[in-house]
Amino acid sequence: MPFSSMLGKSLAVLTAHRFNAQRPVSQVVDIGPGLGTYGRLLRPVLPAARFVAVEIWAPYVKEYGLTEIYDEVRIADARVFDYRRLDSGGIAMLGDVLEHMTKDEAQAVVLALLERCDMVMMSIPIGHWPQDEYMGNPWEAHVASYGPGDVRRVFPYNVAEITFNINADASAGIGVFVMSQKLALQDAISSCFIESINVVKANPGLMFCGLPNMTDLSDPALIARFFEELSPFLDSSPSQPA
């Protein structure tokens, strides 16, 4: 489906906000944006960035107004897209998309993005989450399942991570991972992510920001509700590099 769990969404915004304070983010590359969730959530905290979406399912572009959310929308298969056409730097977002392809294909996509971007942030279901096509979109079917160990094995340059467990036995959850192959940035990225995790842990209401777990964020009122909860933690100054 074109939207996903709210788990990890506030963490992504907080991390991007902190990283931008240290190294202004020039672009956001959103792979498989669906209804444009990350474009809608990150634009307010990264107003100077250029937003690029790579979406395989053309009907989503019109249905969710993606051309109004992103500066550029590429209708393309992320597995074969030429990432060398993108500018260098910025953040790549992979929000619940890599489970829709094989692990080898997913690894190739991440490696290509690591070559272009300063940071790759990935949200991915942990455990077995079966899903078929959705509303005629065959690309919504889940192809691969991941455990935490699988993520570390398949995707290199992981600098920090957290899994939001859903089951009591921790067999299912949402994993959020940040990666960078730029050695000079890895400590800063890790610090921004860990600081953001600590904010969310200290303020449990930020897990969902007042919204149901599965929320269609194409409604501007729901985006406003999200930032009503999160904004007090964005107003505080992120730590600066030493």
Side-chain angles (χ1 to χ4, degrees), residues 4-230:
S4 58
S5 171
M6 288 299 297
L7 289 168
K9 298 297 190 292
S10 60
L11 175 59
V13 175
L14 288 166
T15 300
H17 173 65
R18 279 166 164 72
F19 185 63
N20 185 61
Q22 298 189 17
R23 184 183 180 89
V25 174
S26 59
Q27 71 172 343
V28 174
V29 182
D30 191 357
I31 306 300
L35 61 80
T37 294
Y38 285 106
R40 299 171 194 271
L41 294 181
L42 292 178
R43 177 77 76 175
V45 299
L46 304 175
R50 175 176 172 78
F51 280 70
V52 179
V54 179
E55 173 56 58
I56 194 171
W57 188 241
Y60 284 164
V61 177
K62 181 178 181 180
E63 183 176 356
Y64 295 111
L66 297 186
T67 56
E68 299 174 9
I69 301 167
Y70 298 89
D71 299 295
E72 183 177 359
V73 177
R74 305 283 187 91
I75 301 174
D77 186 335
R79 298 170 297 180
V80 297
F81 182 74
D82 185 0
Y83 293 96
R84 294 172 298 181
R85 298 165 63 186
L86 299 172
D87 294 337
S88 296
I91 300 174
M93 299 300 303
L94 293 154
D96 301 289
V97 65
L98 294 177
E99 65 274 18
H100 300 285
M101 57 188 80
T102 69
K103 290 178 180 177
D104 286 344
E105 291 168 338
Q107 183 186 70
V109 169
V110 170
L111 286 172
L113 288 166
L114 285 166
E115 287 284 339
R116 302 304 296 170
C117 300
D118 294 332
M119 180 203 309
V120 173
M121 193 180 314
M122 174 177 71
S123 171
I124 193 166
I126 300 298
H128 184 54
W129 294 59
Q131 180 174 297
D132 296 323
E133 67 175 47
Y134 178 80
M135 299 295 288
N137 181 357
W139 308 110
E140 290 286 3
H142 286 187
V143 173
S145 296
Y146 290 86
D150 294 322
V151 173
R152 300 183 201 107
R153 177 180 56 81
V154 175
F155 305 110
Y157 304 105
N158 182 44
V159 298
E161 66 184 75
I162 186 173
T163 296
F164 296 97
N165 293 318
I166 294 176
N167 293 348
D169 63 0
S171 62
I174 300 294
V176 184
F177 301 78
V178 288
M179 295 163 278
S180 179
Q181 69 174 15
K182 298 186 178 181
L183 295 178
L185 296 178
Q186 288 178 350
D187 286 347
I189 291 169
S190 177
S191 294
C192 291
F193 189 75
I194 292 170
E195 289 171 5
S196 300
I197 288 172
N198 290 336
V199 171
V200 173
K201 285 183 174 179
N203 301 274
L206 296 182
M207 294 283 283
F208 301 105
C209 288
L211 300 172
N213 180 32
M214 300 297 288
T215 297
D216 179 344
L217 290 172
S218 60
D219 183 346
L222 298 179
I223 296 290
R225 181 74 180 101
F226 177 90
F227 278 103
E228 181 181 333
E229 294 287 329
L230 193 62

